[in-house]
Amino acid sequence: MNEAAGHSKFSVNERGFYGNYGGAYIPEMLYPNVKELEDNYLRIIGSESFQKEFRSLLKDYVGRPSPLYYAKRLSEKYETKIYLKREDLNHTGAHKINNTVGQILLAKELGKTRIIAETGAGQHGVATATVCALMGLECVVYMGAIDVVRQEPNVKRMLMLGATVIPAESGSKTLKDATNEAIRDWINNPVDTHYIIGSVVGPHPYPDLVARLQSVISEEILWQMMEKEGRDYPDAIIACVGGGSNAAGAFYHYLDNPKVELIAIEAAGLGVDTGETAATTKIGKPGVIHSSKTLLMQTEDGQIVEPYSISAGLDYPGIGPIHAHLFESGRGVFEAVTDEEAMQAGFEFCRLEGIIPAIETAHALAYLKKRKFGADQVVVINLSGRGDKDLATYIKWFEKQ
Amino acid sequence: MNRLDTLFNSKKKNLLSIFTTAGYPQLSDTLLVVKALQDSGVDFIEVGIPFSDPLADGPIIQESSTVALENGMTLKLLLSQIVEIRKEVALPILLMGYINPVLQYGIENLAKKCSEVGVDGIIIPDLPMREFLEDYQSIFAKYDIKNIFLVTPQTSEERIRFIDEHSSSFIYLVSSSSTTGKKVGIEGAEAYLSRIQKMNLKSPTMVGFNISNKESFESATRFADGAIIGSAFVKAIAGQADVALAAKNFVRAIRA
Ligand SMILES: Cc1ncc(COP(=O)(O)O)c(C=O)c1O
């Protein structure tokens, strides 16, 4: 499925690096787990039986292909041609399920009986709990104690689906800490457990594995653009970046097409210079987080800085190594959007298109206010998820205004 | 000569190493603790560089890291504390910490500084062997700083041989596949430890993780040159007004 992209200068090399970033900075305790994955993932996900089952579940269970919808009123307002890639219409309400469906099949093939995951917004946790229920596997989800509160509907959903949710009480009590706890769990359960990581982060081969599973997004955009515009590419693709999996999936098949501008939107929180931000490419420096060399927010002494964003899914002090490479090489355009800008954009979008977007996704939408596209340019915004989980945050925000 | 070499050349039985977090429980306790450990007959010392996100550690060492960082500990400050420690302590000293603070300091800078202040070795659990061999081995060799590799019950025999071949000092045998301080004692590890003992490695071996008292120390040292105690020690000095006394009492109970 990824023949062309397999030779991309933006794909991972045999050492697990994208340019200067990536690798597997793991303690020896994780070596066998990660090695097993590295030795088997390409063979398994490339196999005919895997592809057959994966494609069939994406179609009949997830509901793919997700539509590429021409957003007429939004286009009129911003005087350009905007298409929305409707990942919000997937089962469970976000792109996250593309990855979990793939990884659960991989885990089964590897003979694993127990699944762990981290989650920020809860979307990845829900998507993991969902596929575990589907396959009858035990599921443990780590979630930052703060996120357990701000994404409460998703906690309830995970419990309903039979998962165990463990609040991460260490550090900033958000996504970073949930990921730490999941990695510790994996160290303590090295034989029977598969860790379904939720973004293009973590040690090699995870960033590549997750990007390949999410690449179905741009694989569909190729033919959907052809159908709608008579050419298989847009002028720009906009996606929000927490770890960067929805962006990686939406960019994947266009990485080597210089006609397509790839725009990644990070969360600025209260503002890039306020100390309350998650805009990694703005204030981060190279380092190692969650076993991957990438850009991350840190002190001079190399301590990881606690990030801040109103959006739990973007509240992460690093980015996937592929994005660090896209940033450093100049292939990607990286911008940051504040809480305020995102919330306003989300609200406006509800009224224009009748779609309540996830707050993560609202960050991508807010970019339209910062950048004027030409009237005949075609822009695809990856609508990574729906905002049902965020209703309480939206309502509280607009009551304050 | 590197103090670890001297130690392993001269003594090969029942070595006791203690891990303590730098700047814990109080910022200035590093010296007091290390000196008390020397006075009570410990063979060498590992000083933990506190890190915000210690992935391989259980709650006790996590908590000590958090406190140490709140106290204001940094790698730079630790290295200046080592200068003071070296005026009174002759034992081998290793630093143990995660890769990110080390990268920010600069690996070559750190190796150079370690040799200047009298650090004998470094343990960086999340520095992969391949990166070490390709990028850093020559730097460590240049400054005669030992890099210590870990082995776990899951490590294949082939990989253990490979690690042995590339080790310049002892190999750290992790007693169980776990984060630090996960269990009390090393029950269940005997088969694994005896398997490694029978491999007749060229490198000395030290067993660490979950060694907590005299009993587990003695069972570990039946299979290796010595054992390392971390979480149990850190717990013993937690909240102690007289850390030196607490450290001495702890070691006395192990060596009794
Ligand atoms: C709807 C939605 N979009 C985006 C993200 C951010 O993740 P990523 O950057 O991996 O796409 C999340 C994460 O929880 C999410 O739920």
Side-chain angles (χ1 to χ4, degrees), chain A residues 113-153:
Chain A
T113 54
R114 179 175 175 270
I115 299 296
I116 55 172
E118 86 296 338
T119 195
Q123 287 303 112
H124 175 60
V126 167
T128 304
T130 298
V131 296
C132 286
L134 183 67
M135 299 294 168
L137 295 183
E138 183 189 348
C139 180
V140 176
V141 180
Y142 291 91
M143 187 171 191
I146 289 180
D147 295 337
V148 166
V149 176
R150 66 178 160 173
Q151 308 278 225
E152 192 231 34

Side-chain angles (χ1 to χ4, degrees), chain B residues 18-235:
Chain B
I18 297 278
F19 169 95
T20 187
T21 301
Y24 179 82
Q26 304 290 327
L27 192 60
S28 58
D29 283 341
T30 326
L31 170 63
L32 296 178
V33 170
V34 172
K35 190 156 172 341
L37 291 174
Q38 165 165 279
D39 294 347
S40 30
V42 162
D43 294 294
F44 67 94
I45 292 160
E46 289 164 38
V47 182
I49 308 165
F51 182 48
S52 55
D53 295 77
L55 282 182
D57 285 302
I60 294 170
I61 294 179
Q62 282 176 46
E63 173 64 17
S64 71
S65 262
T66 306
V67 170
L69 290 173
E70 279 164 6
N71 289 343
M73 185 43 74
T74 63
L75 180 50
K76 253 190 208 140
L77 179 58
L78 169 56
L79 289 162
S80 66
Q81 288 188 343
I82 302 271
V83 174
E84 297 309 306
I85 289 172
R86 268 293 170 233
K87 292 177 183 160
E88 300 181 51
V89 173
L91 295 182
I93 295 177
L94 289 98
L95 299 185
M96 182 162 186
Y98 291 83
I99 183 81
N100 197 52
V102 170
L103 285 177
Q104 301 317 310
Y105 194 93
I107 297 228
E108 172 129 34
N109 283 346
L110 182 61
K112 181 161 179 279
K113 189 77 183 175
C114 281
S115 78
E116 283 166 20
V117 302
V119 169
D120 303 286
I122 309 187
I123 309 175
I124 309 173
D126 54 351
L127 172 59
M129 255 198 109
R130 185 160 66 182
E131 311 303 319
F132 172 75
L133 295 178
E134 287 180 19
D135 301 337
Y136 304 128
Q137 189 173 37
S138 58
I139 297 174
F140 277 63
K142 178 171 156 194
Y143 295 101
D144 196 20
I145 302 299
K146 307 295 184 185
N147 178 59
I148 307 301
F149 297 114
L150 275 56
V151 154
T152 81
Q154 256 69 43
T155 311
S156 68
E157 176 163 346
E158 185 191 357
R159 188 166 162 85
I160 295 173
R161 293 272 175 221
F162 183 71
I163 288 172
D164 187 37
E165 190 188 319
H166 290 96
S167 285
S168 55
S169 185
F170 71 92
I171 296 178
Y172 193 130
L173 306 181
V174 176
S175 70
S176 75
S177 287
S178 71
T179 44
T180 55
K182 180 76 180 170
K183 299 194 293 192
V184 174
I186 60 161
E187 239 159 85
E190 290 84 359
Y192 145 69
L193 293 175
S194 114
R195 170 167 62 85
I196 292 190
Q197 191 175 33
K198 290 197 187 105
M199 287 178 73
N200 274 319
L201 302 177
K202 78 167 171 59
S203 316
T205 51
M206 296 286 295
V207 182
F209 284 38
N210 306 322
I211 315 269
S212 54
N213 53 23
K214 183 176 161 64
E215 190 197 342
S216 44
F217 176 74
E218 286 175 355
S219 52
T221 49
R222 284 196 286 128
F223 301 99
D225 299 283
I228 302 163
I229 303 181
S231 298
F233 177 75
V234 169
K235 195 171 162 191

Side-chain angles (χ1 to χ4, degrees), chain A residues 81-401:
Chain A
K81 281 178 102 166
I82 302 170
Y83 285 92
L84 305 172
K85 181 59 175 161
R86 298 291 307 275
E87 294 300 304
D88 62 310
L89 292 178
N90 293 340
H91 179 42
T92 71
H95 66 291
K96 297 284 182 188
I97 191 127
N98 303 328
N99 171 41
T100 61
V101 166
Q103 284 206 47
I104 201 84
L105 297 176
L106 177 64
K108 269 190 17 182
E109 189 64 30
L110 291 172
K112 306 293 175 181
T113 54
R114 179 175 175 270
I115 299 296
I116 55 172
E118 86 296 338
T119 195
Q123 287 303 112
H124 175 60
V126 167
T128 304
T130 298
V131 296
C132 286
L134 183 67
M135 299 294 168
L137 295 183
E138 183 189 348
C139 180
V140 176
V141 180
Y142 291 91
M143 187 171 191
I146 289 180
D147 295 337
V148 166
V149 176
R150 66 178 160 173
Q151 308 278 225
E152 192 231 34
N154 274 343
V155 177
K156 298 271 162 64
R157 289 166 82 197
M158 288 184 266
L159 296 176
M160 188 84 188
L161 291 160
T164 304
V165 179
I166 304 182
E169 301 283 357
S170 55
S172 54
K173 301 182 174 50
T174 60
L175 181 54
K176 157 177 93 74
D177 313 284
T179 309
N180 289 344
E181 291 303 334
I183 293 175
R184 289 182 186 121
D185 181 308
W186 209 24
I187 289 175
N188 288 311
N189 297 282
V191 180
D192 64 341
T193 298
H194 176 69
Y195 176 19
I196 301 192
I197 215 163
S199 192
V200 286
V201 300
H204 175 68
Y206 275 111
D208 185 47
L209 169 64
V210 177
R212 283 172 187 264
L213 295 173
Q214 290 291 0
S215 72
V216 64
I217 299 172
S218 50
E219 187 186 298
E220 290 171 3
I221 298 175
L222 285 168
W223 61 261
Q224 290 171 321
M225 279 300 303
M226 183 56 93
E227 246 177 47
K228 307 219 180 236
E229 291 288 331
R231 62 178 217 205
D232 69 0
Y233 64 93
D235 295 293
I237 303 176
I238 308 174
C240 65
V241 172
S245 67
N246 87 86
F251 296 169
Y252 198 88
H253 290 278
Y254 296 107
L255 289 168
D256 289 317
N257 183 347
K259 292 192 217 102
V260 185
E261 188 178 342
L262 305 176
I263 303 170
I265 308 298
E266 295 186 282
L270 300 185
V272 167
D273 302 319
T274 61
E276 298 290 326
T277 184
T280 305
T281 60
K282 302 291 175 198
I283 64 165
K285 282 185 303 179
V288 171
I289 181 171
H290 298 137
S291 310
S292 175
K293 191 180 268 184
T294 186
L295 293 170
L296 64 125
M297 293 165 38
Q298 55 186 314
T299 65
E300 209 178 300
D301 186 43
Q303 307 299 334
I304 297 175
V305 166
E306 300 184 359
Y308 165 78
S309 165
I310 193 168
S311 146
L314 306 183
D315 200 352
Y316 186 71
I319 46 170
I322 184 172
H323 293 294
H325 181 49
L326 292 177
F327 174 71
E328 193 173 273
S329 64
R331 176 67 188 95
V333 173
F334 284 73
E335 268 306 331
V337 155
T338 62
D339 287 1
E340 169 78 34
E341 291 165 332
M343 296 304 272
Q344 294 299 346
F347 192 65
E348 175 189 279
F349 185 70
C350 292
R351 301 296 169 94
L352 281 175
E353 293 293 343
I355 300 169
I356 302 175
I359 295 176
E360 290 77 18
T361 315
H363 284 72
L365 294 166
Y367 185 65
L368 291 171
K369 283 212 192 313
K370 305 195 151 213
R371 165 78 182 273
K372 184 86 186 114
F373 290 97
D376 52 1
Q377 281 193 299
V378 177
V379 177
V380 171
I381 300 176
N382 197 33
L383 214 68
S384 59
R386 66 177 92 124
D388 306 29
K389 67 184 175 64
D390 295 314
L391 283 187
T393 310
Y394 273 125
I395 289 165
K396 220 166 88 194
W397 178 273
F398 289 106
E399 272 171 4
K400 265 194 317 198
Q401 307 286 301

